[in-house]
Amino acid sequence: MKKLLVPVCTAVALISCGTAKNTSDVSSSQNSPVVKGDKAFLSAYKEIKASDLKKNLYVIASDEMEGRDTGSPGQKKAGEYMVNYYKNIGISFPKKLGSYYQKVPSDFMKKRGGSDLPDSENILAFIEGSEKPEEIVVVSAHYDHVGMQNGVVYNGADDDGSGTVAVMEIAKAFHAAKKAGKGPKRSILFLHVTGEEHGLFGSEYYTDNPVFPLANTVVDLNIDMIGRDDPENRGKQYVYVIGSEMLSSQLKVINEEANKRTNNLELNYKYDDPKDPQRLYYRSDHYNFAKNNVPVAFFFDGIHEDYHKPTDDVEKINYELLAKRTQLVFATAWEIANRSERIIVDKK
């Protein structure tokens, strides 16, 4: 997650704050595919495993990747691993793009304060929808981190290795459903962005140069740090959810209903408070979608003691909790991808 605060010209009022349990104002389960009797959903859901998340994270956040700084050889190695993962399980790239890579030029980042960053790449994997392929559900995470300092590797296992492997695992689950003949009705774009730590550059480049029209983009479910806990919630089964009711009155309800029917985590809305000094709504990649009127939800575990330190290592990840949070994002994406009508944008 980007460390420095992002300047905001206009303050946006939010409805909810603090910790909340699931609301009673939820949509009817009769119209939802996320139900206990849905064999296709349950089969795909079970594809998300703590052991697989761990296996991938031990590579993504290894010393070999040298902290994955934007455009660095280590980041490119991590990108190659991710692309090979998608190739090996049979998930392709958007045909319009022609490859898994969307180049993010050095000049683009330099004009936005990225100083001497080299060219880098967003990585895109794609599953086409069976009934509404033109409507796009985005599941995103940044795969860059802060690199090395004084010869010390900042591995970024939680930030955002955890989000990176979660997106990979969610993609595997959707692909398993498609192979079983139960693929998503809407298309799913698995978007790994670069340059987040330096200024949300990769997501800004994508939204400035979208592979699919933003008008057809239904939602961005953004995952940035979901493998740890913060001091305030130590030992709890929780996740912070940020921005889910900023633009759509339906998204928060859908997410809460998906949560209630799966792992029933404690959903914490503390950072939805516009007065919160961390202003986290503006500090990760979902914001570039939100400012283009695309509904977003940002999943986050909080600011812990190893944030942006060389001690953010794979050994400190809670893999069972990481799996549960990943399953929640998958369940939310499944509902949005398969419901009869796309979620509405009814807030400003």
Side-chain angles (χ1 to χ4, degrees), residues 39-58:
K39 293 182 180 179
F41 167 75
L42 289 173
S43 178
Y45 179 87
K46 291 176 182 178
E47 290 287 324
I48 297 172
K49 300 172 183 177
S51 58
D52 290 340
L53 289 159
K54 184 175 183 178
K55 176 183 176 182
N56 286 323
L57 188 56
Y58 264 73

Side-chain angles (χ1 to χ4, degrees), residues 191-265:
L191 176 63
H192 300 273
V193 293
T194 187
E196 192 271 355
E197 299 287 8
H198 292 278
L200 313 185
F201 296 142
S203 55
E204 184 176 9
Y205 187 81
Y206 178 84
T207 54
D208 283 0
N209 303 273
V211 176
F212 303 99
L214 294 181
N216 291 350
T217 301
V218 176
V219 71
D220 174 41
L221 303 178
N222 185 50
I223 312 171
D224 193 348
M225 299 174 57
I226 60 165
R228 298 279 298 273
D229 55 13
D230 62 7
E232 184 178 334
N233 294 282
R234 193 114 298 157
K236 294 181 180 179
Q237 299 287 298
Y238 78 100
V239 66
Y240 291 104
V241 185
I242 303 169
S244 61
E245 59 182 355
M246 286 287 285
L247 293 170
S248 173
S249 60
Q250 294 177 334
L251 179 53
K252 181 178 180 180
V253 173
I254 289 169
N255 184 62
E256 290 188 341
E257 182 73 356
N259 181 57
K260 186 172 71 173
R261 292 175 185 151
T262 53
N263 289 310
N264 203 27
L265 300 173

Side-chain angles (χ1 to χ4, degrees), residues 31-35 38-48 127 137 139 170-186 188 190 219 221 254 258 261-262 326-340:
N31 298 318
S32 170
V34 186
V35 293
D38 189 332
K39 293 182 180 179
F41 167 75
L42 289 173
S43 178
Y45 179 87
K46 291 176 182 178
E47 290 287 324
I48 297 172
I127 294 177
V137 173
V139 182
I170 291 167
K172 182 184 72 174
F174 272 110
H175 183 60
K178 185 171 184 177
K179 287 195 298 182
K182 300 293 183 179
K185 294 178 181 179
R186 292 177 176 83
I188 316 287
F190 306 99
V219 71
L221 303 178
I254 289 169
R261 292 175 185 151
T262 53
T326 303
Q327 288 169 333
L328 169 60
V329 181
F330 169 72
T332 304
W334 179 279
E335 165 65 23
I336 294 169
N338 289 299
R339 69 202 316 263
S340 58

Side-chain angles (χ1 to χ4, degrees), residues 14-27:
L14 299 174
I15 293 175
S16 66
C17 61
T19 302
K21 294 292 186 180
N22 301 305
T23 63
S24 58
D25 182 22
V26 294
S27 58

Side-chain angles (χ1 to χ4, degrees), residues 313-326:
D313 290 325
V314 291
E315 294 83 4
K316 296 181 179 180
I317 297 295
N318 182 335
Y319 290 97
E320 294 300 327
L321 185 54
L322 171 57
K324 289 179 180 179
R325 290 164 171 163
T326 303

Side-chain angles (χ1 to χ4, degrees), residues 44-291:
Y45 179 87
K46 291 176 182 178
E47 290 287 324
I48 297 172
K49 300 172 183 177
S51 58
D52 290 340
L53 289 159
K54 184 175 183 178
K55 176 183 176 182
N56 286 323
L57 188 56
Y58 264 73
V59 177
I60 294 294
S62 67
D63 286 350
E64 182 182 353
M65 306 309 175
E66 299 178 337
R68 308 187 307 280
D69 197 7
T70 300
S72 69
Q75 190 205 32
K76 292 182 186 297
K77 285 182 183 178
E80 289 172 5
Y81 177 82
M82 293 152 57
V83 167
N84 286 331
Y85 170 88
Y86 286 120
K87 287 180 179 178
N88 289 337
I89 65 174
I91 300 177
S92 191
F93 46 79
K95 292 180 182 178
K96 294 179 181 178
L97 189 60
S99 79
Y100 292 97
Y101 294 102
Q102 181 187 46
K103 181 179 177 180
V104 180
S106 174
D107 287 348
F108 177 88
M109 295 184 280
K110 187 175 183 179
K111 290 176 182 178
R112 288 155 178 79
S115 60
D116 297 322
L117 292 173
D119 290 346
S120 190
E121 302 85 25
N122 293 330
I123 293 174
L124 287 69
F126 184 70
I127 294 177
E128 186 172 69
S130 60
E131 294 183 17
K132 301 173 184 289
E134 73 286 353
E135 295 185 12
I136 311 298
V137 173
V138 178
V139 182
S140 65
H142 71 92
Y143 73 106
D144 64 303
H145 193 51
V146 299
M148 299 176 64
Q149 299 179 27
N150 300 318
V152 178
V153 178
Y154 285 60
N155 288 309
D158 195 27
D159 185 13
D160 186 27
S162 62
T164 299
V165 298
V167 173
M168 294 163 68
E169 199 74 356
I170 291 167
K172 182 184 72 174
F174 272 110
H175 183 60
K178 185 171 184 177
K179 287 195 298 182
K182 300 293 183 179
K185 294 178 181 179
R186 292 177 176 83
S187 297
I188 316 287
L189 176 64
F190 306 99
L191 176 63
H192 300 273
V193 293
T194 187
E196 192 271 355
E197 299 287 8
H198 292 278
L200 313 185
F201 296 142
S203 55
E204 184 176 9
Y205 187 81
Y206 178 84
T207 54
D208 283 0
N209 303 273
V211 176
F212 303 99
L214 294 181
N216 291 350
T217 301
V218 176
V219 71
D220 174 41
L221 303 178
N222 185 50
I223 312 171
D224 193 348
M225 299 174 57
I226 60 165
R228 298 279 298 273
D229 55 13
D230 62 7
E232 184 178 334
N233 294 282
R234 193 114 298 157
K236 294 181 180 179
Q237 299 287 298
Y238 78 100
V239 66
Y240 291 104
V241 185
I242 303 169
S244 61
E245 59 182 355
M246 286 287 285
L247 293 170
S248 173
S249 60
Q250 294 177 334
L251 179 53
K252 181 178 180 180
V253 173
I254 289 169
N255 184 62
E256 290 188 341
E257 182 73 356
N259 181 57
K260 186 172 71 173
R261 292 175 185 151
T262 53
N263 289 310
N264 203 27
L265 300 173
E266 181 179 306
L267 304 182
N268 192 312
Y269 297 106
K270 171 184 175 180
Y271 293 115
D272 266 357
D273 186 348
K275 297 179 182 179
D276 188 88
Q278 296 288 344
R279 297 179 69 79
L280 289 172
Y281 177 69
Y282 309 99
R283 289 175 55 188
S284 191
D285 295 295
H286 60 279
Y287 183 63
N288 281 315
F289 286 91
K291 70 183 185 181

